[in-house]
Amino acid sequence: SIKGDEITRINTEHGLMNTYVEDIFEDKEGTIWIATEDGITKLLSPRFISYTPPQGLVGTIVRMILQDRAGRVWCGTYRGLSRFDSDGKVISFTEQNGLHHRVVAALAEDADGNIWIGTPRGMNIFDGSSIKQLSIQGIDPPFQIGGMLADRSGGVWVGTRGKLYHVQNKKAKRISGKQIESASTLIKPLMVDAEHRIWFSVGDIGCGFVQNDKITLLKETEGLPSSDVEFMYQDRSGAI
């Protein structure tokens, strides 16, 4: 962690499950959740709480974390999906509960409070009671999900291999761009900035953003240190 000019290193000696971190998330109560390849570490300073399969987590390799508007925390893993309820109960979902695939690659919450679940074999949706297949007009299955991102208009951005869609009312609009359509890797929507631009990564190209349905790409030739972009964040000054 970084506070001012002071850098504090947190590793397995302090309670972190694994030093390979997939995601870091701050919930509404200010608690930090860290997704690793050996489970989840929850920072309740100065204490660390760990979650692995014996504590109810469905799998050890955790890809991403999402908190819904009800305060529940969803964790996508390589073996399914786990939900942490406010009462401490952990509920898990696997292929036996309707998931297309055990690997959960992306999560998003839509304007109606439904949880969208992206897998290597398509999308599911949790409607508050059960997991169902999610069919979107304009996206033909089977398709592999690279990432999903809810925007401020109530829509959801969906990235697949070489394709980027904006989904509104379960109808998809494909955002065309020759540069990304030639990509051999998955497109992953990452963030919405203060100007309402949608930023995404393309593993073998770099990153880019969508504004007014037009794509602008940033590559190593534009100054990126690497074409492999995993995370993005916009600070208070507007810098990304």
Side-chain angles (χ1 to χ4, degrees), residues 36-56:
T36 79
E37 289 202 338
D38 279 321
I40 292 174
T41 298
K42 192 174 169 182
L43 273 63
L44 294 172
S45 185
R47 296 185 300 121
F48 292 79
I49 298 177
S50 298
Y51 296 97
T52 60
Q55 287 78 43

mmCIF file of all heavy atoms in Angstrom, residues 36-56:
data_model
loop_
_atom_site.group_PDB
_atom_site.id
_atom_site.type_symbol
_atom_site.label_atom_id
_atom_site.label_comp_id
_atom_site.label_asym_id
_atom_site.label_seq_id
_atom_site.Cartn_x
_atom_site.Cartn_y
_atom_site.Cartn_z
ATOM 1 N N THR A 36 -6.374 -13.716 -4.898
ATOM 2 C CA THR A 36 -5.083 -14.306 -5.238
ATOM 3 C C THR A 36 -5.287 -15.698 -5.840
ATOM 4 O O THR A 36 -6.409 -16.165 -5.994
ATOM 5 C CB THR A 36 -4.181 -14.432 -3.991
ATOM 6 O OG1 THR A 36 -4.578 -15.570 -3.213
ATOM 7 C CG2 THR A 36 -4.254 -13.189 -3.124
ATOM 8 N N GLU A 37 -4.185 -16.335 -6.157
ATOM 9 C CA GLU A 37 -4.252 -17.683 -6.708
ATOM 10 C C GLU A 37 -4.404 -18.746 -5.628
ATOM 11 O O GLU A 37 -4.479 -19.939 -5.946
ATOM 12 C CB GLU A 37 -3.019 -17.967 -7.563
ATOM 13 C CG GLU A 37 -3.001 -17.200 -8.863
ATOM 14 C CD GLU A 37 -2.116 -17.835 -9.903
ATOM 15 O OE1 GLU A 37 -1.206 -18.618 -9.516
ATOM 16 O OE2 GLU A 37 -2.322 -17.565 -11.093
ATOM 17 N N ASP A 38 -4.467 -18.329 -4.372
ATOM 18 C CA ASP A 38 -4.656 -19.274 -3.272
ATOM 19 C C ASP A 38 -5.814 -18.870 -2.380
ATOM 20 O O ASP A 38 -5.853 -19.219 -1.204
ATOM 21 C CB ASP A 38 -3.382 -19.402 -2.431
ATOM 22 C CG ASP A 38 -2.363 -20.334 -3.067
ATOM 23 O OD1 ASP A 38 -2.776 -21.361 -3.631
ATOM 24 O OD2 ASP A 38 -1.155 -20.016 -3.023
ATOM 25 N N GLY A 39 -6.759 -18.093 -2.925
ATOM 26 C CA GLY A 39 -7.917 -17.693 -2.149
ATOM 27 C C GLY A 39 -8.019 -16.185 -1.991
ATOM 28 O O GLY A 39 -7.384 -15.419 -2.723
ATOM 29 N N ILE A 40 -8.794 -15.768 -1.029
ATOM 30 C CA ILE A 40 -9.052 -14.347 -0.790
ATOM 31 C C ILE A 40 -8.491 -13.933 0.561
ATOM 32 O O ILE A 40 -8.648 -14.643 1.558
ATOM 33 C CB ILE A 40 -10.567 -14.055 -0.824
ATOM 34 C CG1 ILE A 40 -11.110 -14.240 -2.243
ATOM 35 C CG2 ILE A 40 -10.871 -12.645 -0.329
ATOM 36 C CD1 ILE A 40 -12.613 -14.101 -2.325
ATOM 37 N N THR A 41 -7.835 -12.784 0.577
ATOM 38 C CA THR A 41 -7.403 -12.177 1.836
ATOM 39 C C THR A 41 -8.215 -10.901 2.041
ATOM 40 O O THR A 41 -8.312 -10.062 1.147
ATOM 41 C CB THR A 41 -5.906 -11.834 1.818
ATOM 42 O OG1 THR A 41 -5.153 -13.036 1.667
ATOM 43 C CG2 THR A 41 -5.506 -11.162 3.114
ATOM 44 N N LYS A 42 -8.795 -10.784 3.228
ATOM 45 C CA LYS A 42 -9.618 -9.627 3.566
ATOM 46 C C LYS A 42 -8.865 -8.824 4.620
ATOM 47 O O LYS A 42 -8.479 -9.364 5.665
ATOM 48 C CB LYS A 42 -10.959 -10.140 4.097
ATOM 49 C CG LYS A 42 -12.057 -9.135 4.232
ATOM 50 C CD LYS A 42 -13.337 -9.883 4.622
ATOM 51 C CE LYS A 42 -14.428 -8.940 5.032
ATOM 52 N NZ LYS A 42 -15.654 -9.680 5.458
ATOM 53 N N LEU A 43 -8.644 -7.536 4.339
ATOM 54 C CA LEU A 43 -7.875 -6.696 5.252
ATOM 55 C C LEU A 43 -8.807 -5.964 6.200
ATOM 56 O O LEU A 43 -9.544 -5.064 5.799
ATOM 57 C CB LEU A 43 -7.041 -5.675 4.474
ATOM 58 C CG LEU A 43 -5.655 -6.107 4.001
ATOM 59 C CD1 LEU A 43 -5.752 -7.257 3.024
ATOM 60 C CD2 LEU A 43 -4.916 -4.935 3.382
ATOM 61 N N LEU A 44 -8.784 -6.381 7.461
ATOM 62 C CA LEU A 44 -9.483 -5.684 8.532
ATOM 63 C C LEU A 44 -8.406 -5.186 9.484
ATOM 64 O O LEU A 44 -8.144 -5.780 10.514
ATOM 65 C CB LEU A 44 -10.461 -6.632 9.244
ATOM 66 C CG LEU A 44 -11.640 -7.128 8.411
ATOM 67 C CD1 LEU A 44 -12.408 -8.201 9.151
ATOM 68 C CD2 LEU A 44 -12.566 -5.972 8.057
ATOM 69 N N SER A 45 -7.755 -4.103 9.051
ATOM 70 C CA SER A 45 -6.543 -3.630 9.730
ATOM 71 C C SER A 45 -6.723 -3.565 11.264
ATOM 72 O O SER A 45 -7.709 -3.021 11.756
ATOM 73 C CB SER A 45 -6.170 -2.247 9.202
ATOM 74 O OG SER A 45 -4.947 -1.830 9.747
ATOM 75 N N PRO A 46 -5.769 -4.157 11.997
ATOM 76 C CA PRO A 46 -4.533 -4.784 11.513
ATOM 77 C C PRO A 46 -4.660 -6.281 11.248
ATOM 78 O O PRO A 46 -3.659 -6.969 11.086
ATOM 79 C CB PRO A 46 -3.564 -4.529 12.670
ATOM 80 C CG PRO A 46 -4.449 -4.643 13.885
ATOM 81 C CD PRO A 46 -5.787 -4.059 13.479
ATOM 82 N N ARG A 47 -5.887 -6.796 11.214
ATOM 83 C CA ARG A 47 -6.076 -8.243 11.041
ATOM 84 C C ARG A 47 -6.252 -8.608 9.572
ATOM 85 O O ARG A 47 -6.701 -7.804 8.763
ATOM 86 C CB ARG A 47 -7.300 -8.721 11.825
ATOM 87 C CG ARG A 47 -7.194 -8.578 13.328
ATOM 88 C CD ARG A 47 -8.399 -9.196 14.015
ATOM 89 N NE ARG A 47 -9.649 -8.560 13.610
ATOM 90 C CZ ARG A 47 -10.666 -9.180 13.033
ATOM 91 N NH1 ARG A 47 -10.574 -10.460 12.762
ATOM 92 N NH2 ARG A 47 -11.766 -8.523 12.735
ATOM 93 N N PHE A 48 -5.908 -9.865 9.268
ATOM 94 C CA PHE A 48 -6.134 -10.416 7.945
ATOM 95 C C PHE A 48 -7.047 -11.638 8.094
ATOM 96 O O PHE A 48 -6.809 -12.488 8.959
ATOM 97 C CB PHE A 48 -4.823 -10.863 7.291
ATOM 98 C CG PHE A 48 -3.906 -9.723 6.937
ATOM 99 C CD1 PHE A 48 -3.124 -9.118 7.894
ATOM 100 C CD2 PHE A 48 -3.837 -9.267 5.634
ATOM 101 C CE1 PHE A 48 -2.276 -8.071 7.583
ATOM 102 C CE2 PHE A 48 -2.988 -8.222 5.297
ATOM 103 C CZ PHE A 48 -2.208 -7.618 6.284
ATOM 104 N N ILE A 49 -8.070 -11.708 7.276
ATOM 105 C CA ILE A 49 -8.961 -12.878 7.264
ATOM 106 C C ILE A 49 -8.847 -13.542 5.904
ATOM 107 O O ILE A 49 -8.922 -12.868 4.868
ATOM 108 C CB ILE A 49 -10.423 -12.472 7.547
ATOM 109 C CG1 ILE A 49 -10.547 -11.858 8.949
ATOM 110 C CG2 ILE A 49 -11.350 -13.673 7.422
ATOM 111 C CD1 ILE A 49 -11.932 -11.368 9.271
ATOM 112 N N SER A 50 -8.664 -14.848 5.910
ATOM 113 C CA SER A 50 -8.487 -15.581 4.659
ATOM 114 C C SER A 50 -9.668 -16.491 4.382
ATOM 115 O O SER A 50 -10.277 -17.044 5.309
ATOM 116 C CB SER A 50 -7.194 -16.405 4.707
ATOM 117 O OG SER A 50 -6.071 -15.552 4.844
ATOM 118 N N TYR A 51 -9.993 -16.624 3.103
ATOM 119 C CA TYR A 51 -11.062 -17.513 2.653
ATOM 120 C C TYR A 51 -10.513 -18.458 1.595
ATOM 121 O O TYR A 51 -9.938 -18.029 0.590
ATOM 122 C CB TYR A 51 -12.232 -16.720 2.068
ATOM 123 C CG TYR A 51 -12.926 -15.816 3.062
ATOM 124 C CD1 TYR A 51 -12.605 -14.467 3.141
ATOM 125 C CD2 TYR A 51 -13.900 -16.316 3.916
ATOM 126 C CE1 TYR A 51 -13.238 -13.634 4.054
ATOM 127 C CE2 TYR A 51 -14.547 -15.482 4.831
ATOM 128 C CZ TYR A 51 -14.202 -14.140 4.895
ATOM 129 O OH TYR A 51 -14.835 -13.330 5.799
ATOM 130 N N THR A 52 -10.674 -19.746 1.854
ATOM 131 C CA THR A 52 -10.300 -20.812 0.939
ATOM 132 C C THR A 52 -11.472 -21.797 0.909
ATOM 133 O O THR A 52 -12.484 -21.575 1.592
ATOM 134 C CB THR A 52 -9.005 -21.496 1.415
ATOM 135 O OG1 THR A 52 -9.228 -22.051 2.714
ATOM 136 C CG2 THR A 52 -7.834 -20.507 1.470
ATOM 137 N N PRO A 53 -11.398 -22.886 0.168
ATOM 138 C CA PRO A 53 -12.512 -23.844 0.163
ATOM 139 C C PRO A 53 -12.998 -24.306 1.537
ATOM 140 O O PRO A 53 -14.210 -24.419 1.742
ATOM 141 C CB PRO A 53 -11.971 -24.990 -0.690
ATOM 142 C CG PRO A 53 -11.106 -24.291 -1.695
ATOM 143 C CD PRO A 53 -10.429 -23.185 -0.920
ATOM 144 N N PRO A 54 -12.131 -24.533 2.532
ATOM 145 C CA PRO A 54 -12.666 -24.914 3.851
ATOM 146 C C PRO A 54 -13.557 -23.847 4.485
ATOM 147 O O PRO A 54 -14.414 -24.155 5.319
ATOM 148 C CB PRO A 54 -11.392 -25.137 4.687
ATOM 149 C CG PRO A 54 -10.360 -25.527 3.694
ATOM 150 C CD PRO A 54 -10.660 -24.714 2.480
ATOM 151 N N GLN A 55 -13.380 -22.583 4.086
ATOM 152 C CA GLN A 55 -14.222 -21.504 4.611
ATOM 153 C C GLN A 55 -15.408 -21.197 3.679
ATOM 154 O O GLN A 55 -16.120 -20.225 3.889
ATOM 155 C CB GLN A 55 -13.407 -20.221 4.809
ATOM 156 C CG GLN A 55 -12.449 -20.258 5.978
ATOM 157 C CD GLN A 55 -11.188 -21.050 5.672
ATOM 158 O OE1 GLN A 55 -10.611 -20.924 4.600
ATOM 159 N NE2 GLN A 55 -10.772 -21.890 6.627
ATOM 160 N N GLY A 56 -15.594 -22.042 2.655
ATOM 161 C CA GLY A 56 -16.753 -21.905 1.793
ATOM 162 C C GLY A 56 -16.482 -21.410 0.397
ATOM 163 O O GLY A 56 -17.382 -21.452 -0.467
#
